[in-house]
Amino acid sequence: MTGIDTPVVIVGAGPVGLATALVLGRHGVRSVVFEQYDGINPHPRAHVVNTRSMELFRTWGIADAVRADAVDPVSAGTILWKQTLAGEPLGRIDLLEGPEDQLLRRIHASAEQLISCAQDRVQQHLLDAVLAQGMATVHYSTTVVEVTDRGDHVDVTVEGAGERRILRTCYAVAADGATGGLRDTLGIAMDGSAVLGHQLNIYFHGDLSPWTREDPALLVWLINSASPGLLIGMDGVRRWTFQRSFDPAVESPQDYPPERCARIIRDAVGTTELDLDIRSVGPWTMTARTAETYRSGRVFLVGDAAHQFPPTGGLGMNSGLADADNLGWKLAAVLRDGASDALLDSYERERRPVAVDNACHSMLNAVKMAEVGIGPETTRIAARLESPDPAVAEAERRRIAQAIPPQRPHFDALNQEIGYIYGADRHADDAPLSATDHTPTAVPGARLPHAWIERAGERVSTHDLLIPGFTLITAPGGTDWADAFAATGEGVAKRTVVIGRDVTSPDGHCPELLGIGEDGALLVRPDGHIAWHSAEGSSPASALAALFNAAERSA
């Protein structure tokens, strides 16, 4: 295609936009990223980095850096409910304790674990990786004014540094977030609940150690009549956010100057003596919506532009990162490796059902939290806790204490993080999947199960075997599969790993976990999901050909 300025334009330099650029670069495709703001937003928002995202970060080479900025695991594993921070706990969930089988399942499921790292820090590490890679150019203070699909290319009109210009690109990716306007200009509607509530997020620095030193926690839900809300330790030391209900019909963020915010936080802590540095205030709307389609011609939606969930479950940013990984390799396959453009239709088919399921899980969590005083029942429950009748207050404390342990799936949902299977035949009336009971499975569409193996004397994960391409993993007797794989996909990045030759499985568990026995094999896509398994009876060559000729297959 002649006259193209850049293969891909990405609108938005948030975590998902940067992740899209990083994945494209790993596959040898250049991109340009436009961001209307002047840099990374220092106001931390998301903070949960779940197991699958950490696996992606491991693949992208930034897991160690993100982990170094994360909250200490001891603090991050505790969730508390109190009336005020200075008060006694109403109850707790300790993620480092609990049912032994559930803990072992999480430990053995991955080389990585769920962590808490503030979004601005995550975003900085993604930006550093993109710039170090040198395959993308990031333009801040530049607004995308118009995106026009011309059929054989996309014209992207941008304004920045006092000038307007048009770039011609093969594909455009809308990563402009929940409030970005590109989705609306494309005429893409949203399914779900537009407004579930409004919240105000106060970001501040302060020394809360007198109340957290002996009993640290990542999240503290505060139920009282003076200043109810959620306190989040963004670094476990001095960076905090406090979330509270907000009614944009009668107030605005300008009604919350630093002095008022400081009073709100002191009331939530339960003290009048506390030095605070109020950094910023941000309103946000709680929704549960999914775009009706993720594609409009040559323009694609990723992240919050495609789906928005309540924060109850921490799945928003994490879902977007997996969107980026899924779309990125497919764009590269079309642009660089000659795959059919119809391959790009599978992005929506695979990722949209995951978003719908994540929205449902998040909604169920939000509804269930009402039992412990979070949501529309806060005022009533706080009044009972503060009742002048000791019997009423004590009864409410006992009720809340009993209602807290069943909230654990809100914070510990391993199957929700890594258990989704692309192409799984599920229907609207099917029973919901268990959010916690994950069982690794090596079937097409599933994420490659993790197992510890040895390569050149080094202990590595099966995930460490994967390349920015296709990886065939065979049992010792599966070399015929390897020969067939080598004979197809000319020019496509490929690797073959033979267990027993290239790597060893000290406990012998890996072939069993992967279901390849003595002479089987499986083919792993660039995003770590299984494309083919020898149990299908076909061949890896035919599976690869079917992916790259998606138009013929779907015809």
Side-chain angles (χ1 to χ4, degrees), residues 310-488:
T312 39
L315 292 168
M317 179 179 71
N318 293 291
S319 298
L321 293 171
D323 291 346
D325 201 41
N326 186 293
L327 178 61
W329 80 262
K330 292 171 181 176
L331 283 171
V334 172
L335 289 165
R336 190 195 63 183
D337 298 329
S340 165
D341 178 87
L343 172 64
L344 300 175
D345 291 333
S346 69
Y347 164 62
E348 177 183 323
R349 288 199 303 270
E350 292 182 343
R351 291 303 303 165
R352 191 176 187 276
V354 176
V356 171
D357 193 54
N358 284 345
C360 180
H361 175 73
S362 302
M363 280 290 293
L364 288 174
N365 287 340
V367 171
K368 198 170 180 61
M369 285 292 281
E371 299 173 7
V372 288
I374 310 304
E377 293 296 300
T378 298
T379 300
R380 183 185 66 82
I381 292 174
R384 291 178 64 83
L385 287 171
E386 297 165 2
S387 171
D389 185 340
V392 171
E394 181 57 31
E396 189 63 19
R397 291 178 67 90
R398 285 197 305 270
R399 189 197 66 78
I400 291 175
Q402 292 171 355
I404 286 174
Q407 306 291 329
R408 187 181 180 107
H410 174 165
F411 309 99
D412 184 11
L414 180 63
N415 203 42
Q416 204 74 29
E417 299 172 43
I418 62 176
Y420 52 85
I421 300 174
Y422 294 146
D425 187 16
R426 287 186 53 76
H427 304 282
D429 56 353
D430 287 347
L433 297 173
S434 167
T436 57
D437 296 334
H438 173 69
T439 300
T441 181
V443 299
R447 148 197 169 277
L448 175 70
H450 153 77
W452 290 114
I453 54 180
E454 287 190 5
R455 179 177 60 187
E458 180 186 4
R459 184 174 183 255
V460 299
S461 168
T462 46
H463 294 174
D464 297 327
L465 303 177
L466 307 182
I467 63 169
F470 290 83
T471 305
L472 184 73
I473 302 176
T474 80
T479 53
D480 288 348
W481 298 118
D483 293 340
F485 181 52
T488 192

Side-chain angles (χ1 to χ4, degrees), residues 499-511:
I499 297 175
R501 184 192 73 185
D502 303 311
V503 299
T504 59
S505 177
D507 59 5
H509 181 53
C510 184

Side-chain angles (χ1 to χ4, degrees), residues 238-316:
R238 285 192 56 80
R239 302 181 80 213
W240 308 86
T241 61
F242 184 68
Q243 294 186 20
R244 58 178 274 130
S245 295
F246 173 75
D247 186 354
V250 298
E251 56 186 349
S252 73
Q254 287 68 40
D255 295 321
Y256 287 81
E259 298 79 11
R260 183 183 180 191
C261 290
R263 287 196 302 273
I264 288 170
I265 292 164
R266 291 188 186 107
D267 286 342
V269 173
T271 182
T272 58
E273 302 294 329
L274 177 61
D275 290 332
L276 296 168
D277 178 10
I278 306 299
R279 310 293 295 219
S280 53
V281 175
W284 57 278
T285 302
M286 187 184 300
T287 64
R289 304 192 300 166
T290 308
E292 290 184 349
T293 180
Y294 281 21
R295 179 180 190 181
S296 176
R298 289 179 170 269
V299 186
F300 298 84
L301 309 182
V302 294
D304 285 355
H307 46 70
Q308 297 136 37
F309 319 134
T312 39
L315 292 168

